[in-house]
Amino acid sequence: MPQILGLTRLVRGPAPVPSDLEALRAQIDRLDHELLDLIEQRLNACIAIAGLKANDTSGTLRFRPRRETEVIGRLIDRAEHASSALVTHVWRELMGHCLQAQARTDLVLCASRSPHTLKERVRERLGRAAHAQWVATPEEALDLARRREVVAAIEYSPLTPWWTALRHSNLAAFDLIREESGRLLAIIVGRVGPDDVAEGPSLRVLTEGELEIRRARGETVEPIAASGELRLCLTSQGEANR
Amino acid sequence: MPQILGLTRLVRGPAPVPSDLEALRAQIDRLDHELLDLIEQRLNACIAIAGLKANDTSGTLRFRPRRETEVIGRLIDRAEHASSALVTHVWRELMGHCLQAQARTDLVLCASRSPHTLKERVRERLGRAAHAQWVATPEEALDLARRREVVAAIEYSPLTPWWTALRHSNLAAFDLIREESGRLLAIIVGRVGPDDVAEGPSLRVLTEGELEIRRARGETVEPIAASGELRLCLTSQGEANR
């Protein structure tokens, strides 16, 4: 229905800005009502998507991190006045609630060194809608992420190679949380499909041999931790973490 | 222009929900574009308000905590599908950015006991748009709040009666942050006018004598801390903190 949307915009825009305080406040109130109407339509569309996927047996989460990041990127490109921070903050919250309307998706957090920073950064990434739960060990977090509608943010430590469990599992490390210094703080894992891993360098668990083969092919592969013959590697984007 | 808005809604609503995945995703994309357009119109209206107030000499902040809380309350009442959490999360972020578009307003934080909880709770209340800065003492926080476009969240402690400085000052304690147990964690202060203090019990610094006079009038006044002859009191809503 692009014509209809065109008409809508033609009728509404180009937004004459009133010149007195009362009129401006009234305009803001009207804009807020329209915003709420659109948000409720968006919620309904997300619930309809959940209905279509009710018989989906792929075993992946309703959460689509890559699509979320792409949507936000396109909106940032489209914005004329709104900052990228505004678009990011508002849509992360909105999409977090739309996800919960599709399927309750909990957040499982595991950190001993910087729990507060981890929680703050995960909330920035995923919004505040999800119920958050702390667990004591990476194994508990991985177990919940395997079995439930759960996204797990697990602190990375060179001393605790919990990440070896990502090899040959239905879990993907689909996002990284870094400190301002760039140091890796945590890895976000969940049952997301290969298409849903966010763009940018992704994490992969490779054997020493696989690492060499990829390098010989000219791929950028940077090992950041080792455990036995396994290496946790940052690789250029795209494929599943298997 | 209510007729025009009515027409807009008539043309758009009642939101036929498509029945296949591609169409639903396309509908969500269109809704996101419309949301962004409305948000940019809201930003422009807020910038126009700032222009009207450019010569304002009241010495109060552009931040209007009471109006924000009232707007959110009305939207929650109006919502049919959106939860109160969704409305609160989205509009706190949106209004935080609209405030920055009117006048850069920084956040000053002061806490020694629970700095992470304080920051998290203040962000929930004010969104993530404001630049946040930590200071070491309540006196520094109060000084910045007196002189700059600043909102200060200062940890409350029965042992540090910094709140006596609120008596006979241009600062109001306009919001409280409590722990889940109900214990007072911090007080938010700033140069907000008497009309801008949020609803609900407010904080006031009274002498022992003033406290007795209010009680004799039948007001609900609960002293929660004492320093010399001054009492920090929770009182029923409405007036300025003087």
Side-chain angles (χ1 to χ4, degrees), chain B residues 58-196:
Chain B
S58 68
T60 56
L61 297 176
R62 286 290 167 269
F63 178 49
R64 306 276 316 274
R66 184 167 189 157
R67 175 165 154 87
E68 287 197 2
T69 301
E70 286 170 352
V71 165
I72 287 177
R74 284 199 300 268
L75 291 169
I76 287 172
D77 290 343
R78 186 185 173 89
E80 286 174 40
H81 308 289
S83 67
S84 59
L86 184 161
V87 172
T88 304
H89 295 161
V90 168
W91 262 268
R92 288 291 183 207
E93 297 300 333
L94 181 56
M95 294 192 299
H97 282 278
C98 285
L99 172 65
Q100 299 298 326
Q102 288 194 48
R104 177 179 160 164
T105 307
D106 286 357
L107 199 55
V108 166
L109 304 168
C110 179
S112 56
R113 222 171 42 232
S114 310
H116 298 288
T117 310
L118 176 70
K119 190 174 174 194
E120 184 181 349
R121 298 294 305 278
V122 171
R123 288 292 194 202
E124 276 175 21
R125 176 66 189 75
L126 302 169
R128 298 187 176 99
H131 175 83
Q133 172 193 353
W134 286 96
V135 296
T137 66
E139 289 67 32
E140 281 177 81
L142 291 165
D143 184 54
L144 287 167
R146 276 189 206 100
R147 294 187 298 108
R148 303 238 187 107
E149 201 76 6
V150 150
V151 166
I154 310 175
E155 195 169 61
Y156 164 75
S157 159
L159 305 176
T160 317
W162 60 263
W163 45 267
T164 57
L166 297 175
R167 192 170 164 85
H168 304 306
S169 99
N170 59 347
L171 294 174
F174 64 86
D175 211 346
L176 308 176
I177 295 183
R178 295 178 179 278
E179 292 180 354
E180 281 176 21
S181 65
R183 200 173 67 84
L184 184 62
L185 178 69
I187 302 172
I188 309 189
V189 307
R191 286 181 284 102
V192 305
D195 299 341
D196 286 333

Side-chain angles (χ1 to χ4, degrees), chain A residues 5 30 34 40 64 81, chain B residues 5 25 30 40 64 81:
Chain A
L5 279 177
R30 280 196 304 270
E34 286 201 75
E40 299 211 303
R64 307 275 316 273
H81 307 290
Chain B
L5 281 176
R25 294 228 170 95
R30 281 196 303 271
E40 299 211 302
R64 306 276 316 274
H81 308 289

Side-chain angles (χ1 to χ4, degrees), chain A residues 90-127:
Chain A
V90 167
W91 262 268
R92 287 291 183 206
E93 297 299 333
L94 180 56
M95 294 191 299
H97 281 279
C98 284
L99 172 65
Q100 299 299 325
Q102 287 193 49
R104 177 177 161 165
T105 307
D106 286 358
L107 199 57
V108 166
L109 304 168
C110 178
S112 56
R113 222 171 42 234
S114 310
H116 297 289
T117 310
L118 176 71
K119 189 175 174 192
E120 185 181 348
R121 299 292 305 280
V122 171
R123 289 292 194 201
E124 276 175 22
R125 176 67 188 75
L126 302 171

